[in-house]
Amino acid sequence: MLTFCPVCANVLIVEEGTKCYRFACNTCPYVHNVTRKISNRKYPKLKEVDDVLGGAAAWENVDSTEETCPKCRHPRAFFMQIQTRSADEPMTTFYKCCKMDCGHRWRD
């Protein structure tokens, strides 16, 4: 936990005093004795993750090809290509198994 000096706004350090711990400033003579337990928790709000593949709607109008599913060995899979890296790198091919009860996804 960072605590700042109310006089000069520098970060206070924790040092051991004569009777207790205390916050002290390195640049000015400010000292604050710690007489009780100090705790402060702040949980950051997590950002929502976007589906980079466009969600379920992205697979609506895609073509299929002869690609064997690694999970169920079905011989056909839907595919789409997306540029996931810089422009000089090749496109990434994403596959989805055509078998309705499998629906396994993988990339090449």
Side-chain angles (χ1 to χ4, degrees), residues 7-75:
V7 178
C8 64
N10 285 322
V11 176
L12 297 176
I13 61 167
V14 177
E15 63 183 23
E16 194 170 350
T18 54
K19 296 180 181 178
C20 61
Y21 287 102
R22 62 186 186 179
F23 290 115
C25 184
N26 278 336
T27 56
C28 72
Y30 177 79
V31 174
H32 175 73
N33 290 327
V34 178
T35 57
R36 60 184 173 84
K37 183 179 178 179
I38 299 173
S39 66
N40 186 9
R41 290 187 184 175
K42 203 175 259 191
Y43 296 103
K45 184 179 177 184
L46 299 176
K47 294 180 181 179
E48 291 190 25
V49 179
D50 293 334
D51 190 358
V52 293
L53 297 179
W59 292 99
E60 287 179 359
N61 297 318
V62 294
D63 291 326
S64 63
T65 186
E66 291 190 19
E67 183 72 28
T68 305
C69 175
K71 186 176 179 182
C72 71
R73 298 292 174 207
H74 191 267

Side-chain angles (χ1 to χ4, degrees), residues 59 61-65 77-81 93-96:
W59 292 99
N61 297 318
V62 294
D63 291 326
S64 63
T65 186
F78 298 113
F79 75 97
M80 68 175 153
Q81 291 185 322
T93 305
F94 292 91
Y95 296 101
K96 181 180 176 184

Side-chain angles (χ1 to χ4, degrees), residues 72-91:
C72 71
R73 298 292 174 207
H74 191 267
R76 293 199 65 80
F78 298 113
F79 75 97
M80 68 175 153
Q81 291 185 322
I82 299 175
Q83 189 73 41
T84 57
R85 299 184 191 155
S86 61
D88 61 341
E89 296 288 328
M91 296 180 80

